[in-house]
Amino acid sequence: MEKEQYRSVIRSLFLDEKSRSEIKERLDAVYGDSSPSMATVKNWFNEFQRGRTSVFDEPRPSAPKTATTECNVTKFHDLILADRRLKVREIAETVGISKDRVGHTLHEILGMRKLLPRWVPRLVTSVNKRNRETTSEQCLTLFKRNPKKFLRRFVTIDETWIHWYTPETKEQGVE
């Protein structure tokens, strides 16, 4: 049974001028172990006594989500690119928001993870893809203007990771 349905029963019994304990006894008799607790019965009895008529939850105010703005995401990314050994606590202190939000932004939005003492991108993120797309479009425009001049100046780079040393323990990889 939904909680609103229990509240409706409590309200109905309240309107029949039953006491809190009588309402609890009736709920236990009908619903057994699945009936609401005495604390819940007391809470809703008091609410109805104060004049409340609705059995539905009222919208709760929540804090605006300002920590994961585009500006903060860019700040985090710039800080990590400048020093990949930063700790979440240090980033939180620098930007002035909670460690939880910094961790969420790094892991979920930027797709980074801590590999030994450094932050590394997990996969190519949407930001990386957008940057690559923009760069490719600019290169294509330059190529269409003058192909010979463009090819003479164009340099490509292969993004290959070469592991020349694999530490056996975390302590060896700290350096």
Side-chain angles (χ1 to χ4, degrees):
M1 185 178 235
E2 297 291 325
K3 56 186 175 182
E4 289 84 8
Q5 293 171 326
Y6 287 123
R7 294 172 189 168
S8 296
V9 173
I10 295 169
R11 183 169 188 271
S12 174
L13 294 172
F14 168 78
L15 293 173
D16 287 341
E17 298 180 359
K18 303 291 183 193
S19 68
R20 293 178 185 96
S21 57
E22 289 174 324
I23 293 172
K24 177 63 175 154
E25 288 172 10
R26 299 271 299 271
L27 287 170
D28 286 343
V30 175
Y31 301 110
D33 292 338
S34 65
S35 69
S37 67
M38 186 62 180
T40 302
V41 172
K42 285 180 180 179
N43 179 42
W44 282 98
F45 187 92
N46 292 339
E47 287 289 324
F48 297 134
Q49 223 174 15
R50 285 191 285 266
R52 182 171 179 163
T53 57
S54 174
V55 294
F56 297 99
D57 287 327
E58 294 176 354
R60 295 181 180 114
S62 61
K65 293 187 167 72
T66 57
T68 54
T69 62
E70 187 76 28
C71 180
N72 281 346
V73 172
T74 305
K75 284 181 191 176
F76 300 158
H77 198 242
D78 292 343
L79 287 169
I80 291 296
L81 291 179
D83 182 6
R84 290 186 183 263
R85 293 175 184 251
L86 281 176
K87 294 176 176 64
V88 172
R89 177 184 45 80
E90 295 170 339
I91 297 170
E93 289 171 358
T94 303
V95 179
I97 62 172
S98 72
K99 294 186 290 185
D100 291 337
R101 289 288 89 198
V102 172
H104 169 77
T105 304
L106 290 173
H107 294 289
E108 302 299 324
I109 296 174
L110 291 175
M112 297 187 133
R113 65 186 178 102
K114 194 81 164 183
L115 184 63
L116 295 176
R118 294 183 187 91
W119 286 100
V120 295
R122 224 181 301 166
L123 298 171
V124 177
T125 63
S126 59
V127 174
N128 298 129
K129 289 178 185 176
R130 188 177 62 228
N131 287 342
R132 289 179 181 189
E133 184 180 331
T134 305
T135 304
S136 297
E137 287 173 354
Q138 291 171 349
C139 288
L140 185 60
T141 304
L142 290 173
F143 177 76
K144 286 179 180 177
R145 281 192 211 151
N146 191 346
K148 290 182 181 180
K149 187 176 180 183
F150 174 79
L151 291 175
R152 204 169 353 125
R153 295 180 176 204
F154 195 75
V155 178
T156 59
I157 301 172
D158 182 17
E159 295 180 16
T160 304
W161 287 67
I162 300 172
H163 294 281
W164 57 275
Y165 171 70
T166 304
E168 294 178 17
T169 65
K170 284 188 176 183
E171 289 78 21
Q172 290 176 338
V174 171
E175 180 55 37

